[in-house]
Amino acid sequence: MKKFLLLLLGAVLGTLAVSAYRDRPDGIFARFKQWAQPWVADVQRKVSDKLSGAASEMTAMVQGLLDSSHFSFTCNYSSGTAALERTIATSAPDSHGLRAVGEIMSEAGLKPNFKVLAGEVANASAFVHDGERVIVYNKAWVAELSRTVASRWVLYAVLAHEIAHHLNGDTMPRAGSYEARDANKNHEQELAADFFAGFVLSKLGASKDEATLAVRKYAGDESHSHPSKARRISAHEQGWQKGYVPPAAAGPREPDVSAELVKLQQEIGRHAEHYGPGHVVVDGERVPCLVQYKLLFVGRTMKVKGIRYDARTRDITILEWQLDPKDGRPHPVSVQPTGVLDDAECHNVVIANAGEFCYAVTPAERRERDPEAFRKALQRYVELAAR
């Protein structure tokens, strides 16, 4: 009983003390609050950052945003390029970017090991995001480029430079960042990427002046990350010279094809060049994609070159095959509808023992593009060219 009374008395005295001191600026509570404030603020900041990070990741999943704090390496084309924003909004590439990437990779003879996106960057950037290789280019910049520069090769040179960083392994985490590396190492990697750009543009048919247009216009001053403009121009020219093949002397001409065959080739080529929606089958499931392709004829042989962009995985696939009607094999042509995407009627065109591609008809094209007429023209071409 005595102990209980002592405890009760202590509680009463403690309550009175709290009441007396909690509002005093020099009281024990004020002192304790001042002492604990830095720790409390640190805990609040960590909790806030964690919640903000979780929200940012969820937004990225929903809206197609990339968090640049997750990049293990970043290359901008020019040393004068502004730093990347914390969050980069991305979307599907357009026809200009797809065409350039497809032709570059096809000429290099390699399969793409990176994803291609359009997004809010200064011009073009290569980086690794959460372990995946990515190239992002600015569509508005491309549009302005097309308006002001009378050459398509500028875009090709910029994208080839970024592609080279991935192909050369510069973007791997073990390579480190620009800031952490020695300037000489950075310059070495940039010049190697410029060399590749000059080389592949030479292979694609650009002149030496055309291959250096981009670096002359967009290269900044020498910095820790990039070498001087003069050295970069020289690297492009060396790469171009390495890839240059003088025109071969004219060989024996192929027998002239008939007027009907020439007319068929022109009609097929007019209908076949395409950029638009299509479908691709992944694990038995048909998913939408963007497809760009072009057919061309060399004598009687039909060559198909293009690129397919999977809208779900954001991966790209190079399409390249050719048809020689005189190879002795049957080549029946079929055209099958695969559904409607973005109001376009999508079809899959298959030429047996050769290859396939997508054929889409938008509402505005229904008078000019007819899948059945296209099939008949292809079939007639195969039969006539085989003779």
Side-chain angles (χ1 to χ4, degrees):
M1 184 66 178
K2 185 178 179 179
K3 289 183 178 180
F4 174 75
L5 291 175
L6 289 173
L7 288 173
L8 181 61
L9 179 61
V12 172
L13 291 174
T15 302
L16 291 174
V18 168
S19 300
Y21 283 96
R22 66 181 177 183
D23 295 325
R24 290 181 56 178
D26 60 341
I28 187 171
F29 275 89
R31 293 177 181 177
F32 177 78
K33 184 177 179 181
Q34 183 179 8
W35 174 79
Q37 188 173 6
W39 283 268
V40 173
D42 186 57
V43 170
Q44 289 176 336
R45 179 183 57 77
K46 289 180 178 178
V47 171
S48 176
D49 287 349
K50 190 169 184 179
L51 291 175
S52 175
S56 176
E57 289 183 9
M58 182 59 69
T59 303
M61 293 170 61
V62 175
Q63 299 183 9
L65 304 179
L66 297 180
D67 186 345
S68 63
S69 66
H70 292 201
F71 297 174
S72 58
F73 173 94
T74 304
C75 167
N76 291 315
Y77 185 74
S78 170
S79 60
T81 302
L84 295 175
E85 296 292 336
R86 168 66 185 267
T87 302
I88 302 173
T90 64
S91 61
D94 60 9
S95 60
H96 302 289
L98 277 177
R99 180 186 296 115
V101 171
E103 292 185 15
I104 290 167
M105 296 306 295
S106 178
E107 193 60 52
L110 299 170
K111 292 183 178 180
N113 62 349
F114 48 83
K115 297 184 184 300
V116 180
L117 305 171
E120 298 173 352
V121 295
N123 39 65
S125 295
F127 48 80
V128 173
H129 178 261
D130 286 344
E132 287 194 302
R133 297 176 177 182
V134 182
I135 289 176
V136 178
Y137 71 95
N138 189 314
K139 287 196 284 191
W141 174 75
V142 171
E144 178 66 14
L145 184 68
S146 301
R147 189 182 68 82
T148 59
V149 181
S151 174
R152 66 189 179 102
W153 297 114
V154 177
L155 173 61
Y156 281 68
V158 171
L159 290 177
H161 176 95
E162 304 304 336
I163 287 171
H165 279 302
H166 284 312
L167 299 181
N168 291 337
D170 300 340
T171 57
M172 298 301 290
R174 58 178 169 75
S177 65
Y178 274 133
E179 294 77 12
R181 287 196 305 261
D182 178 74
N184 290 331
K185 180 63 175 178
N186 288 337
H187 294 181
E188 178 184 327
Q189 292 184 348
E190 291 300 322
L191 293 173
D194 290 333
F195 181 93
F196 173 81
F199 174 84
V200 78
L201 262 66
S202 177
K203 291 293 188 183
L204 289 170
S207 68
K208 184 184 292 187
D209 287 341
E210 289 170 330
T212 58
L213 276 174
V215 72
R216 292 179 188 276
K217 184 174 180 63
Y218 292 106
D221 298 329
E222 181 174 348
S223 66
H224 180 77
S225 61
H226 290 73
S228 66
K229 179 183 289 190
R231 293 183 67 194
R232 296 189 65 183
I233 292 172
S234 177
H236 276 80
E237 291 177 340
Q238 291 174 30
W240 184 91
Q241 195 64 47
K242 180 72 173 179
Y244 178 69
V245 177
R253 295 184 58 187
E254 186 170 336
D256 292 337
V257 296
S258 68
E260 182 184 359
L261 191 58
V262 170
K263 186 177 180 180
L264 282 169
Q265 290 178 340
Q266 292 172 343
E267 182 69 9
I268 291 169
R270 181 179 71 84
H271 278 280
E273 185 168 357
H274 171 69
Y275 169 77
H279 287 89
V280 61
V281 177
V282 179
D283 297 330
E285 177 187 359
R286 193 170 68 225
V287 298
C289 66
L290 292 175
V291 179
Q292 168 151 358
Y293 63 85
K294 184 174 183 178
L295 307 188
L296 56 90
F297 293 90
V298 179
R300 296 170 182 261
T301 301
M302 182 177 77
K303 296 186 176 183
V304 180
K305 298 186 71 172
I307 185 170
R308 176 186 290 137
Y309 176 85
D310 187 329
R312 186 179 68 176
T313 65
R314 294 186 172 183
D315 289 326
I316 60 175
T317 304
I318 303 300
L319 309 174
E320 185 169 8
W321 51 272
Q322 68 179 33
L323 165 66
D324 179 4
K326 302 185 73 172
D327 62 6
R329 296 183 296 175
H331 297 291
V333 181
S334 65
V335 178
Q336 296 294 328
T338 60
V340 178
L341 180 65
D342 295 335
D343 296 327
E345 299 170 357
C346 302
H347 302 76
N348 192 44
V349 181
V350 179
I351 303 178
N353 296 312
E356 60 183 78
F357 53 89
C358 293
Y359 184 92
V361 182
T362 65
E365 297 173 327
R366 282 176 184 149
R367 290 186 177 180
E368 293 79 22
R369 294 171 67 86
D370 176 47
E372 180 58 22
F374 182 61
R375 185 197 68 79
K376 289 180 178 178
L378 275 174
Q379 192 65 68
R380 177 60 180 163
Y381 151 75
V382 170
E383 295 170 356
L384 190 61
R387 296 175 183 174

